[in-house]
Amino acid sequence: MLFTDTIYALSSGSLPAGVAVIRMSGPATADAVMHLCGSVPPARVATLRTIRTRNGDALDSGLVIYFPGPASFTGEDCCELHVHGGRAVVNAVLDELAAHGLRHAEAGEFSRRAFQNGKMDLVEVEGLADLIAAETEMQRRLAVEQSGGGQSALYAGWARRLTHARAMIEAELDFADEDDVPGSISASIWADVEKLRVEIDAHIAKAGLAEIIRDGLKIVIAGEPNAGKSSLLNALARRDIAIVTEIAGTTRDVLSVDLSLAGFSVKLFDTAGLRETEEVVEREGIRRAREVIAHADLVLLLSEKPGGFQVHEALPEDVAVIRVATKIDRPDVKWARRDADIFLSTITGEGIAALLRALQAHLPALAGNTSLAMPSRKRHVDCLRQASAALERGLAADGLEIRAEQLRIASDALGRITGRVDVENLLDVIFSEFCIGK
């Protein structure tokens, strides 16, 4: 796809910085470099040049790297200017590019051009966005798998198998009377289709794990008022997030903090104490607490005294629960080993390490996994489910025509994941997630 305009943007981090990277892409890139630097440097060679205004005044000295298309990120002529990262320097260079007729890029426009010029597919584009946003080791690994094409290769392999099956079935339909067309290819073809459906369903089953990697394991701290929930949140976050007092019902809203544990993102929620109350604001806090508990992956149920875990009756049956005995430094309370799973004190720090080990045991076991090819977005899962359902209908249908049509539907569903078919309405949403300059 040819674009008539040339875009530019600051592609590095916020200013001021040691170095700022300004990126250009489009047909007028070479002219803009000539205008700024006096000549176009050799392709893909970092060259030190003085960057000047139209009047010949020096703006800065920096490295200029020119990437002639199609061997570039976007598939167009591109250039990067590596200049000093002061606001005045960067703004002056950006103003000069605008004066030369270039247009400031919109969010994600460089990546969108790369997609539309066939340099990346949608899974790779989304993986690149996730890689930029990654904060934990597992998020990085998942994003690298997608941005590097590993997951796209899996889907491409499935698409090739569907194409082969469709071709064989069409051949049997169109040339059934010909001697060189086997009359009974269905057995082998449909055996592979059934195997493919099983593979897709197994892939879909990994979506929950991918959600935990991308969005974090949701852990909710719950319990009766004054059980030490806010103190535990502060202790795990290692900073003051929640207000802590001896007054029961201090926490009225849901507070959250993001942590990194064993390479995974963990979202920790502090909630209002669970009890019956007529106070309007506290009742709303308890309602919100029950709502977040209903969507938790794990609940830390706290109590400051033996027998204080009765609120577990309000917890969903399918949510894992760790019973945590708190304030064990108090001499007036006696605990038996069977009374709780973890015993701790946020004052002395005793038991915190044991709690962290218990939390880590609830994280997915990915040791030794070299591939993290799994559907990480809802649209991936939706398309995969459509493909699986179409294959199931095809396997159950009577008549090769109906079966062939179901294979086409499955193939189109896979194609929508990578952007091969019918994705125009998705593009604005996908690329709006990117920062300016990417």
Side-chain angles (χ1 to χ4, degrees), residues 4-82:
T4 58
D5 54 349
T6 300
I7 57 175
Y8 70 90
L10 175 66
S11 293
S12 52
S14 60
L15 304 176
V19 175
V21 179
I22 298 172
R23 174 182 284 175
M24 294 175 273
S25 179
T29 296
D31 289 342
V33 175
M34 181 78 71
H35 166 77
L36 291 171
C37 306
S39 63
V40 178
R44 286 173 286 280
V45 176
T47 307
L48 181 64
R49 292 291 172 87
T50 299
I51 301 171
R52 300 181 181 275
T53 67
R54 287 164 293 175
N55 299 324
D57 298 331
L59 293 174
D60 194 18
S61 292
L63 295 178
V64 180
I65 311 175
Y66 177 63
F67 305 90
S72 68
F73 175 73
T74 63
E76 307 172 318
D77 290 349
C78 292
C79 183
E80 291 183 356
L81 305 177
H82 296 231

Side-chain angles (χ1 to χ4, degrees), residues 138-199:
M138 289 304 172
Q139 288 174 343
R140 182 196 65 80
R141 286 181 56 189
L142 180 64
V144 166
E145 182 74 28
Q146 295 189 357
S147 63
Q151 189 159 323
S152 297
L154 175 65
Y155 297 152
W158 289 347
R160 284 193 297 270
R161 288 163 65 182
L162 280 175
T163 300
H164 173 70
R166 291 174 61 190
M168 293 297 98
I169 292 172
E170 294 291 347
E172 186 169 353
L173 283 169
D174 296 340
F175 306 106
D177 297 332
E178 300 293 332
D179 293 337
D180 58 345
V181 177
S184 181
I185 61 172
S186 295
S188 61
I189 291 299
W190 292 107
D192 186 62
V193 170
E194 171 61 26
K195 182 180 177 182
L196 176 57
R197 187 189 66 80
V198 172
E199 292 176 15

Side-chain angles (χ1 to χ4, degrees), residues 230-242 256-259:
S230 297
S231 296
L232 180 58
L233 178 77
N234 292 342
L236 293 176
R238 297 183 181 179
R239 62 184 189 275
D240 289 337
I241 302 294
S256 67
V257 62
D258 292 338
L259 306 176

Side-chain angles (χ1 to χ4, degrees), residues 53-288:
T53 67
R54 287 164 293 175
N55 299 324
D57 298 331
L59 293 174
D60 194 18
S61 292
L63 295 178
V64 180
I65 311 175
Y66 177 63
F67 305 90
S72 68
F73 175 73
T74 63
E76 307 172 318
D77 290 349
C78 292
C79 183
E80 291 183 356
L81 305 177
H82 296 231
V83 298
H84 294 94
R87 290 188 176 88
V89 171
V90 171
N91 290 335
V93 175
L94 296 179
D95 289 344
E96 196 63 27
L97 291 173
H100 191 65
L102 277 63
R103 176 176 62 81
H104 194 277
E106 298 175 358
E109 191 167 2
F110 288 94
S111 297
R112 183 164 186 162
R113 291 190 176 200
F115 166 72
Q116 292 180 319
N117 287 325
K119 306 296 289 186
M120 308 173 72
D121 64 32
L122 281 186
V123 174
E124 292 170 327
V125 166
E126 290 168 328
L128 181 59
D130 290 343
L131 186 60
I132 293 172
E135 295 182 346
T136 67
E137 173 61 16
M138 289 304 172
Q139 288 174 343
R140 182 196 65 80
R141 286 181 56 189
L142 180 64
V144 166
E145 182 74 28
Q146 295 189 357
S147 63
Q151 189 159 323
S152 297
L154 175 65
Y155 297 152
W158 289 347
R160 284 193 297 270
R161 288 163 65 182
L162 280 175
T163 300
H164 173 70
R166 291 174 61 190
M168 293 297 98
I169 292 172
E170 294 291 347
E172 186 169 353
L173 283 169
D174 296 340
F175 306 106
D177 297 332
E178 300 293 332
D179 293 337
D180 58 345
V181 177
S184 181
I185 61 172
S186 295
S188 61
I189 291 299
W190 292 107
D192 186 62
V193 170
E194 171 61 26
K195 182 180 177 182
L196 176 57
R197 187 189 66 80
V198 172
E199 292 176 15
I200 291 176
D201 288 346
H203 186 65
I204 294 172
K206 299 178 181 178
L209 173 57
E211 181 181 359
I212 289 176
I213 293 176
R214 285 192 75 240
D215 301 332
L217 186 75
K218 294 182 284 293
I219 301 177
V220 176
I221 304 175
E224 295 179 339
N226 215 25
K229 299 182 295 298
S230 297
S231 296
L232 180 58
L233 178 77
N234 292 342
L236 293 176
R238 297 183 181 179
R239 62 184 189 275
D240 289 337
I241 302 294
I243 297 174
V244 178
T245 73
E246 293 297 326
I247 302 173
T250 298
T251 301
R252 301 297 184 93
D253 205 350
V254 176
L255 303 177
S256 67
V257 62
D258 292 338
L259 306 176
S260 179
L261 181 62
F264 285 86
S265 174
V266 171
K267 298 186 75 68
L268 199 60
F269 296 88
D270 180 23
T271 59
L274 301 177
R275 66 175 177 179
E276 296 297 328
T277 180
E278 296 300 323
E279 207 277 320
V280 176
V281 177
E282 187 177 359
R283 285 174 60 187
E284 175 61 19
I286 293 172
R287 185 195 67 79
R288 296 185 183 188

Side-chain angles (χ1 to χ4, degrees), residues 142 159 269 288 297 353 360 372 434:
L142 180 64
F269 296 88
R288 296 185 183 188
D297 298 308
Q360 189 168 335
L372 288 183
F434 279 77

